Amino acid sequence: MFSRMLAYLVVFSGAWLFTSDVMADNLAKDTWYEIDSANFHIITNGEASSVRRLAEDLERYRAVALSLLGAKDDGAKLTIYAAADRESYAGLVGEDLSELTNGLFDTTAEGSYALVNLDGRTGERQLEAREFLFHEYTHFLSYNGTTTHYPYWYSEGFAEFMSTMTFGPGNTYDIGAIPGERAMTLLYTAPMPLQELLRATVYNTPDEEKGRVYASGWMLAHWIIMESGKAEEFKQFVKDYNNGADPVKALAKNLGMSIDEIEKVYNDQFREGRFQLARGKVPATFKSERPKLKVLESQEAVVELARFLVKSGYNPHGLHELVKYAEQDDVYTPELTAVRADAATREGDFDRAARLLAQVAPSDREEFWYQRAQAWLWLNREIGSMGGDRSKEMMKGARDKFVKLVNNQSDEAMNWYGLAITMQMLGYPKDQYVEMLEQAYLRAPRELHIAQWMAQELYDRKDAAYFAEVAQPLMLELTDEAEYNQMKNMLAELKPTLADNAKAESRIQGKASVKDKTSAAASGASKATP
C-alpha cells in the first residue's frame, strides 16, 4: 500500500517545500512577547496591549463558537504566531506565501498552530487581525481531534462566516456580517459557478482562484446557516460527503432541491446583496480573565522562532540567519543546537545532526528538547541502515527515550509514533506496537502517514468497522491515485456491518480511557528486550 519506512522520514521532511531569501534574523531583533490565556498561547512581536485584547476576544469567541458548533471542549490549547507586519510574516512563512495569505492554520502530529499577519492588507490592524484569528481558530475547532472532513468551499466559507463575529454591550454578539475582502472578490470576479464550487478542492483549485472559493463558499454557507432552514439536512450531507458521495448529487438530495434551484438561490443572494445578521448572548458560563503577558528574553525568542521555522518548513533557510544572529549577539543556547540537529535530521544529514548533539553538555542531556532530538536522530539513522547493519543498541536507546517522552509529554502524537516505530523495528509483538500507534492516531487522526499505517494494521487484522472509521476520511486526503484506488478496494472488500459500526463508534468514544491505559504500557516497553 505504501512504504512505512519511507513514511517515517516523510512525516518530517514533507513540509520543507518553500524557499525564501527573507532575512529571518530581522525577526529576532524585535521584542517578542508571550501572551498566555486559558486556551491560547500567543507569540508576537506586535503591540502587546492590542494582542492582549485580541486574546481576550479569542476566549470570548471560543465560548460562543463551542456553543454554536455543539463541539466538545477537550481543553486543547492553540499556539498562535502573530506577526506585527508583512515583513515579519514573510520572515516566518517565506516571501511567496506572504503574498498569497494573511493567515495560516496547520494541524500536525507535533500539535496545531495558527499564524496571522496583524497588519493585514489594508492596515486596519485590529479589525483584520480579529477576523484572521477567528477564521483560523474556526478551523482548529472544526478539525482538532476529529476525522470529519468538510468540502473545501464550506471549510473556508464557514470560517469566513464566523470570522466577522463582533461583541456588543450586555455580553452580546452579532454574527453574519459581510467579510469586506470577500465582498470585493465577489464584486470584481462574480461568484464561482455552483457545481465548480461544490467540486473544488485545495488541490484542484489554482492559487489565483482560491479567493473565489473563500468568497463564494462564504455566500453559500451564509444561506445554508441563516436562511435555508436546512441546517440539519446539511449535517447529513457532510456525513454522505465523508462516505464518498458525489458532492453535487449529495447536496441536492439532502436539501431536497434540484441543483438548479440551489444555484438560483445562490445567485439571487448575490444580486440582492442583502445578508441577515443574528444576535445572541455569550454563554453565561464564560468568565473573562486577563491574559498573562511576558517579555521573552532574546535567547527564548530565538529558540521559539527557530523551532517554528523547523517545524513548519515554510522558510527553512531562515534558521541559518537566526543562528548567525544568536552567535553575533551572544544569545546562543544549547537548545538552539538541538533545534539545528532536528533540522539536520529532517534533511537526512544524520552525521551533521550527531555532531551538533555531541556539542550539548552532558548536564543538559536530560532535557526533553535534547531527548527528543536524539531519539529521532537515532531512529531515522537506523531506518536508513539495512537489515543486519542496524544497531539494536541504538534502537533500544531510542525506544527508552521515546518511553520517557510519552510518559512526560503524552499529548504529543509524534512521541507515540516514534515509540511505535522503534517497537516494531525491535520485533515487539504486533498488538504492543499497534497499541502505541493507536495512541498517535487518536492524538493526530489527520496526520497522513500515521493514519495510513493505522489503516493498514486494521485491514491486516480484518477489523472492518474500525478500518472504515480510519480509511474513509483518509481517502479524502490521498492525492496519489493508486493509493486512493487501493484504499477504496480495501473498503469494498471488508464492508463493515451495522453492528460492526456501532462497536467501532463505542471504541472511539472511549479513547480517553485508552490513553490512560497505554501510558502504563509504554513504561513496560522499556523493560522488554526481545
Side-chain angles (χ1 to χ4, degrees):
M1 182 172 137
F2 75 106
S3 169
R4 286 201 295 275
M5 289 302 175
L6 178 62
Y8 303 152
L9 283 172
V10 170
V11 79
F12 274 128
S13 63
W16 288 56
L17 302 176
F18 298 96
T19 59
S20 172
D21 292 327
V22 175
M23 303 297 281
D25 63 328
N26 292 333
L27 293 176
K29 294 172 183 174
D30 289 345
T31 299
W32 286 84
Y33 303 91
E34 180 182 75
I35 297 171
D36 256 320
S37 63
N39 298 286
F40 299 93
H41 177 69
I42 302 176
I43 305 297
T44 185
N45 62 338
E47 205 276 307
S49 60
S50 294
V51 180
R52 200 177 200 177
R53 287 194 296 274
L54 282 176
E56 292 173 339
D57 273 354
L58 273 167
E59 290 288 355
R60 189 177 287 109
Y61 172 82
R62 178 181 183 276
V64 174
L66 284 172
S67 175
L68 291 177
L69 292 169
K72 183 181 177 182
D73 181 3
D74 65 357
K77 199 165 186 171
L78 180 65
T79 297
I80 298 170
Y81 298 88
D85 47 41
R86 187 192 166 282
E87 184 181 5
S88 300
Y89 185 67
L92 292 171
V93 306
E95 192 68 41
D96 292 343
L97 264 184
S98 72
E99 293 287 349
L100 294 170
T101 67
N102 271 318
L104 294 166
F105 170 77
D106 200 6
T107 178
T108 74
E110 297 176 82
S112 297
Y113 59 84
L115 298 96
V116 64
N117 172 7
L118 292 173
D119 247 349
R121 291 196 179 106
T122 67
E124 296 176 21
R125 297 172 61 93
Q126 187 73 12
L127 177 61
E128 291 213 0
R130 283 165 47 92
E131 289 187 8
F132 294 143
L133 287 174
F134 288 0
H135 177 111
E136 302 307 336
Y137 193 61
T138 301
H139 287 316
F140 177 74
L141 292 178
S142 299
Y143 289 117
N144 182 53
T146 177
T147 57
T148 298
H149 283 70
Y150 296 94
Y152 182 35
W153 66 267
Y154 187 77
S155 179
E156 298 302 345
F158 179 67
E160 286 293 306
F161 173 82
M162 295 292 289
S163 74
T164 59
M165 185 184 295
T166 56
F167 301 103
N171 230 16
T172 60
Y173 69 87
D174 289 322
I175 196 169
I178 303 172
E181 188 171 350
R182 304 313 168 195
M184 296 300 289
T185 298
L186 290 169
L187 288 170
Y188 282 111
T189 65
M192 183 173 279
L194 184 60
Q195 294 201 39
E196 184 180 341
L197 176 69
L198 295 179
R199 290 203 166 100
T201 70
V202 72
Y203 305 109
N204 69 15
T205 306
D207 287 341
E208 61 271 17
E209 286 291 291
K210 287 178 177 174
R212 291 185 74 197
V213 173
Y214 281 54
S216 302
W218 164 78
M219 193 170 70
L220 184 56
H222 191 287
W223 173 74
I224 289 169
I225 296 164
M226 301 288 283
E227 299 179 47
S228 72
K230 298 178 182 291
E232 289 303 312
E233 290 85 346
F234 185 75
K235 290 179 183 177
Q236 184 58 48
F237 159 77
V238 173
K239 290 181 181 178
D240 289 350
Y241 174 78
N242 277 262
N243 286 326
D246 176 82
V248 175
K249 294 176 181 177
L251 187 66
K253 182 194 81 170
N254 283 290
L255 297 190
M257 301 168 67
S258 71
I259 203 68
D260 289 339
E261 288 172 328
I262 299 172
E263 185 146 38
K264 183 179 185 307
V265 172
Y266 168 73
N267 287 322
D268 285 349
Q269 211 182 12
F270 172 68
R271 281 191 292 269
E272 292 169 9
R274 290 193 295 272
F275 298 88
Q276 292 182 10
L277 290 174
R279 174 164 291 180
K281 277 261 190 184
V282 177
T285 53
F286 172 73
K287 303 296 179 193
S288 179
E289 294 183 10
R290 186 79 165 149
K292 297 174 183 174
L293 172 66
K294 170 189 170 184
V295 179
L296 289 177
E297 298 289 339
S298 295
Q299 295 95 326
E300 295 175 297
V302 167
V303 168
E304 186 75 51
L305 294 169
R307 218 175 263 295
F308 172 78
L309 292 173
V310 173
K311 175 173 66 175
S312 71
Y314 291 131
N315 184 19
H317 295 294
L319 180 62
H320 177 68
E321 301 302 327
L322 279 177
V323 170
K324 276 202 326 187
Y325 170 80
E327 290 172 340
Q328 290 168 2
D329 280 51
D330 198 25
V331 293
Y332 193 97
T333 61
E335 190 169 358
L336 184 57
T337 299
V339 175
R340 294 172 64 195
D342 184 22
T345 296
R346 292 173 193 243
E347 293 172 327
D349 191 345
F350 304 138
D351 289 341
R352 182 166 175 269
R355 288 195 300 271
L356 284 164
L357 287 177
Q359 297 171 19
V360 176
S363 57
D364 289 322
R365 293 182 184 178
E366 289 303 307
E367 299 288 346
F368 293 135
W369 46 260
Y370 177 86
Q371 297 278 316
R372 181 185 176 100
Q374 188 164 70
W376 279 106
L377 167 61
W378 285 357
L379 173 57
N380 279 295
R381 187 164 53 189
E382 296 313 310
I383 287 172
S385 302
M386 298 305 294
D389 291 335
R390 288 184 180 145
S391 166
K392 185 162 278 193
E393 182 182 350
M394 285 293 187
M395 291 302 302
K396 288 178 180 178
R399 174 203 60 195
D400 292 345
K401 290 183 185 303
F402 282 122
V403 167
K404 180 176 180 178
L405 288 166
V406 300
N407 284 327
N408 288 277
Q409 299 175 335
S410 62
D411 287 340
E412 292 193 23
M414 283 300 291
N415 295 335
W416 293 95
Y417 185 48
L419 180 57
I421 298 168
T422 52
M423 289 173 67
Q424 184 202 38
M425 292 178 67
L426 282 167
Y428 276 73
K430 183 183 282 280
D431 63 330
Q432 290 187 28
Y433 71 73
V434 171
E435 190 175 18
M436 302 301 109
L437 173 63
E438 182 180 36
Q439 292 306 302
Y441 175 75
L442 292 174
R443 287 160 175 80
R446 308 182 77 85
E447 208 298 308
L448 188 64
H449 301 294
I450 292 175
Q452 282 185 300
W453 185 12
M454 188 69 188
Q456 184 67 59
E457 295 291 351
L458 293 169
Y459 174 80
D460 290 345
R461 74 186 191 202
K462 304 305 178 189
D463 190 335
Y466 200 178
F467 172 73
E469 290 282 342
V470 174
Q472 194 68 62
L474 176 58
M475 287 178 66
L476 297 172
E477 297 279 358
L478 293 174
T479 56
D480 182 280
E481 187 176 357
E483 288 183 353
Y484 177 89
N485 288 333
Q486 186 167 2
M487 189 72 68
K488 184 177 180 180
N489 292 336
M490 291 160 72
L491 273 168
E493 177 190 334
L494 291 187
K495 288 182 183 174
T497 66
L498 289 176
D500 289 335
N501 284 331
K503 246 189 280 183
E505 188 173 342
S506 172
R507 171 168 41 205
I508 288 175
Q509 286 175 348
K511 74 175 186 178
S513 61
V514 174
K515 286 183 183 179
D516 293 340
K517 179 182 72 173
T518 53
S519 184
S523 295
S526 65
K527 301 182 180 69
T529 52

